[in-house]
């Protein structure tokens, strides 16, 4: 009799346990969250892992992402030529685990294209700036010196971050709005230079200055064959060197813009000749200098130097 009682009690206990299990399992399933493609879980402690080929784009996406992102900019050395950068295993690991990857494109960072092809997360989002703005290999790749391209790119960054992490949409929208206000300072200065010095003849040792020359309305007279060859790490044609030297000696050039990160004996000679002719020389860089300032502060500082040099030449002539 006692054994039957134990069996009955045991059966009741088993029934109760199974009922509780079914209820808990059902609640758990009903509260589960399915993560959509190209997004991260709704977890306030998890940051979007962003890998950017160069620090100028890295600065901009960092400002839009704010506290919700962790940004690694690969190329940021002020003493190195970004055109000659070679990737390493640490870069490959960073690309392989990133949620969002940003590259310049148009052949500027081919090493990054190779890392993407080697393998990234299936749901990782990739922004190729050249593709976004309709440029390709062979075009001038220094897109960050064009205010229009910067505005297009930052808008896409905002859109991508919202796509990856929709739960923080309002923060991304506010950060983007704040960035546009901040960018307007250097972009307004571009307008000032255009109004005051539009049409003024200037020269540059490298094609990096072309977009900014167009935006400011300055007449960039240095031979394209020279500037493009230097940008690609090649020796300029001999006739372009002679043409460049003649331009500097003709007293028609108001300012020489010198790329401090693509230095060769030939560009140093051009810089020296300009100084001998009394032509102001201003240095600009490919990556943010110093690396810890914002993109817009870097751009504004370079424009102030350009504006001061133009003013000095105008007052001295």
């Amino acid at each position: 009799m006692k054994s039957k009682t134990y069996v009955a009690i045991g059966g009741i206990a088993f029934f109760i346990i199974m009922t509780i299990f079914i209820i808990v399992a059902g609640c758990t399933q009903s509260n589960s969250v399915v993560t959509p493609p190209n997004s991260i879980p709704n977890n306030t402690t998890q940051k979007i892992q962003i890998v950017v080929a160069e620090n100028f784009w890295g600065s901009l996406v960092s400002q839009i992402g704010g506290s919700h992102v962790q940004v690694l900019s690969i190329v940021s050395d002020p003493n190195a030529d970004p055109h000659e950068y070679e990737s390493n295993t640490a870069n490959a690991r960073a690309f392989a685990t990133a949620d969002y990857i940003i590259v310049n494109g148009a052949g500027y960072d081919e090493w990054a294209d190779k890392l993407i092809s080697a393998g990234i997360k299936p749901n990782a989002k990739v922004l190729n700036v050249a593709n976004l703005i309709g440029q390709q290999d062979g075009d001038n790749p220094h897109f960050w010196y064009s205010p229009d391209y910067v505005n297009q790119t930052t808008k896409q960054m905002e859109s991508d971050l919202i796509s990856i992490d929709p739960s923080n949409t309002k923060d991304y929208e506010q950060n983007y709005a704040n960035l546009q206000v901040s960018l307007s300072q250097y972009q307004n200065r571009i307008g000032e230079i255009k109004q005051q010095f539009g049409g003024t003849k200037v020269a540059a040792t490298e094609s990096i200055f072309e977009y900014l020359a167009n935006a400011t309305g300055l007449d960039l007279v240095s031979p394209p064959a020279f500037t493009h060859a230097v940008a690609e790490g090649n020796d300029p044609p001999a006739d372009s060197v002679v043409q460049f030297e003649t331009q500097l000696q003709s007293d028609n050039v108001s300012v020489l813009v010198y790329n401090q990160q693509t230095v060769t004996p030939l560009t140093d000679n051009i810089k020296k000749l300009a100084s001998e002719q009394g032509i102001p020389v201003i240095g600009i860089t490919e990556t943010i200098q110093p690396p810890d300032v914002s993109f817009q502060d870097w751009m504004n500082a370079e424009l102030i130097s350009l504006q001061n040099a133009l003013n000095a030449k105008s007052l001295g002539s």
Side-chain angles (χ1 to χ4, degrees), residues 150-227:
V150 167
N151 291 340
Q152 290 182 53
T153 303
T154 53
K155 184 60 181 175
Q156 186 62 47
M157 289 174 177
E158 179 205 26
S159 176
D160 287 345
L161 289 175
I162 291 173
S163 173
I164 296 170
D165 181 24
S167 63
N168 289 305
T169 294
K170 289 184 178 179
D171 288 347
Y172 299 133
E173 290 175 341
Q174 184 59 59
N175 291 345
Y176 172 76
N178 294 341
L179 176 61
Q180 293 311 299
V181 172
S182 187
L183 290 174
S184 67
Q185 182 180 14
Y186 96 87
Q187 294 181 356
N188 288 341
R189 189 175 298 279
I190 288 175
E192 293 174 5
I193 294 174
K194 184 174 185 177
Q195 183 176 8
Q196 187 175 2
F197 297 105
T200 300
K201 287 181 170 54
V202 297
T205 58
E206 210 245 47
S207 60
I208 187 174
F209 187 62
E210 285 182 3
Y211 290 120
L212 200 53
N214 291 337
T216 53
L218 298 173
D219 184 7
L220 186 60
V221 298
S222 42
F226 183 101
T227 58

Side-chain angles (χ1 to χ4, degrees), residues 105-122:
Y108 186 80
D109 40 23
E110 289 182 341
W111 59 268
D113 295 333
K114 293 176 181 177
L115 293 183
I116 293 172
S117 298
I120 59 176
K121 291 169 63 174

Side-chain angles (χ1 to χ4, degrees), residues 66-139:
S67 62
H68 304 300
V69 303
Q70 183 170 329
V71 179
L72 171 64
S73 294
I74 303 295
V75 178
S76 58
D77 186 353
N79 300 310
D81 182 350
H83 297 268
E84 300 175 357
Y85 185 80
E86 295 183 3
S87 62
N88 52 46
T89 54
N91 300 156
R93 285 194 297 269
F95 271 67
T97 58
D99 301 305
Y100 187 28
I101 298 169
I102 302 172
V103 299
N104 189 74
Y108 186 80
D109 40 23
E110 289 182 341
W111 59 268
D113 295 333
K114 293 176 181 177
L115 293 183
I116 293 172
S117 298
I120 59 176
K121 291 169 63 174
N123 63 338
K125 187 175 287 291
V126 177
L127 170 58
N128 182 303
V129 175
N131 293 344
L132 172 69
I133 60 178
Q135 301 294 305
Q136 56 189 353
D137 286 7
D139 293 329

Side-chain angles (χ1 to χ4, degrees), residues 248-270:
L248 296 178
Q249 293 167 339
S250 67
D251 198 33
N252 289 327
V253 174
S254 294
V255 173
L256 174 69
V257 179
Y258 183 79
N259 187 341
Q260 296 175 319
Q261 284 179 261
T262 55
V263 177
T264 69
L266 184 55
T267 60
D268 269 343
N269 288 338
I270 291 294

Side-chain angles (χ1 to χ4, degrees), residues 30-43:
S30 65
N31 289 320
S32 64
V33 177
V34 178
T35 303
N38 294 326
S39 70
I40 62 174
N42 186 11
N43 183 347

